[in-house]
Amino acid sequence: MPSGPARRHLLSLRLGGMPDQMILDLTKLNLSDVETVANLRCTEITASISKAILGVTFHPSRGRAMTLGVGAQRRIRALVAMGYSVQALSELTGLSVPKLSTLPSDQVVPSEVWSVINDVYDQISMTPGPDEQVRNAAREQGWATPLAWDDDEIDDPRARPHSPRGIRGIDEAAVYRRLCGEWRLPLTLAEQAEIVSIALRRQWSTEHLADVLGIDLGSALKKKIRYRARMAVYAARSDGEREADVA
């Protein structure tokens, strides 16, 4: 079967700092098998090798003691971008401020640390924090909020936030308030586009999107079509840039 999906997954694991020995332990493969997958000249691999590599998740599984740290780092930064200070998050997680401030993006961390952070993230990621100064400082650094991350991508080292970070015209608090039911709150075009992005990622019905935006069904459908078209253009440009880099 094609080796591409397994190779990309292996690259992500290595990019996130997972040691080869850990990959071997989790996949039960030989080093030669892993290196074959990593070889760009290899186009076909066995189904069993592909399944073994793709079965190594970016988040804790199979009772393993260590996992990639990038997802934990992104969750903490996303919560800071929502207005929660690191000190406040330290109190909520029981982890020290230095620990939370130095979470790595290219190393593994104890699975227990990931789990504690993930639990707090699940509890408060949809609730704006109280510290506006902290929120503004985080966004100046380009830290993405929880809305920018899908649950199945936040732990992937190669994934990128969906929403443009720091884009002018988007008030994340306004987006949250509209999602929480404040229908009369006015939104900019950029904020409406952000909600369309959320609707597509979460597979809302067009009717639900129309209700949230306060527009008719036809207008909601047009917004979805236009957003998909715009994203297709961006994706095509990105593919072209990657091909140019390879060349």
Side-chain angles (χ1 to χ4, degrees):
M1 63 187 308
S3 60
R7 180 180 299 110
R8 288 190 291 272
H9 193 74
L10 176 61
L11 175 61
S12 291
L13 293 172
R14 286 176 163 176
L15 185 65
M18 184 173 287
D20 279 353
Q21 187 57 55
M22 184 174 174
I23 294 174
L24 296 178
D25 291 342
L26 293 172
T27 60
K28 308 302 182 185
L29 296 174
N30 298 318
L31 181 59
S32 60
D33 293 328
V34 173
E35 292 303 334
T36 296
V37 174
N39 191 334
L40 290 173
R41 289 176 293 183
C42 172
T43 59
E44 296 287 329
I45 57 176
T46 65
S48 60
I49 290 178
S50 178
K51 181 179 179 180
I53 291 178
L54 293 174
V56 180
T57 59
F58 299 126
H59 54 79
S61 61
R62 304 181 187 177
R64 70 193 196 211
M66 305 293 287
T67 195
L68 303 186
V70 63
Q73 182 201 76
R74 286 170 174 171
R75 286 175 174 85
I76 289 298
R77 290 186 173 185
L79 293 176
V80 173
M82 282 293 292
Y84 294 96
S85 68
V86 177
Q87 178 61 48
L89 294 174
S90 174
E91 295 171 2
L92 289 170
T93 61
L95 301 172
S96 69
V97 169
K99 169 72 74 175
L100 295 179
S101 301
T102 57
L103 288 166
S105 62
D106 57 356
Q107 297 177 34
V108 292
V109 299
S111 294
E112 289 183 1
V113 169
W114 182 96
S115 296
V116 168
I117 291 173
N118 183 60
D119 288 345
V120 171
Y121 182 84
D122 283 346
Q123 293 169 16
I124 66 174
S125 61
M126 295 301 290
T127 304
D131 197 323
E132 184 175 355
Q133 184 175 356
V134 165
R135 178 167 56 248
N136 292 338
R139 295 183 186 183
E140 286 179 2
Q141 296 183 70
W143 291 2
T145 63
L147 279 178
W149 293 109
D150 283 344
D151 289 342
D152 60 349
E153 293 183 341
I154 192 169
D155 291 290
D156 183 346
R158 300 180 71 189
R160 293 294 178 266
H162 287 284
S163 62
R165 293 176 292 181
I167 186 170
R168 183 171 298 177
I170 292 182
D171 181 348
E172 297 282 1
V175 172
Y176 270 97
R177 289 168 62 187
R178 179 59 74 93
L179 292 176
C180 290
E182 293 190 34
W183 310 123
R184 296 182 180 180
L185 183 71
L187 298 174
T188 66
L189 289 176
E191 288 158 0
Q192 292 179 41
E194 176 67 7
I195 290 178
V196 173
S197 171
I198 294 168
L200 292 173
R201 297 203 307 273
R202 298 182 180 177
Q203 299 183 330
W204 290 359
S205 67
T206 303
E207 290 81 0
H208 183 45
L209 175 61
D211 287 341
V212 172
L213 290 179
I215 57 180
D216 61 55
L217 195 62
S219 297
L221 181 59
K222 288 180 181 178
K223 283 185 178 293
K224 290 170 68 175
I225 293 172
R226 289 171 181 168
Y227 186 88
R228 286 194 179 104
R230 188 162 65 249
M231 291 301 102
V233 171
Y234 291 160
R237 289 176 180 172
S238 297
D239 289 341
E241 291 172 358
R242 283 195 293 269
E243 290 176 1
D245 289 340
V246 172

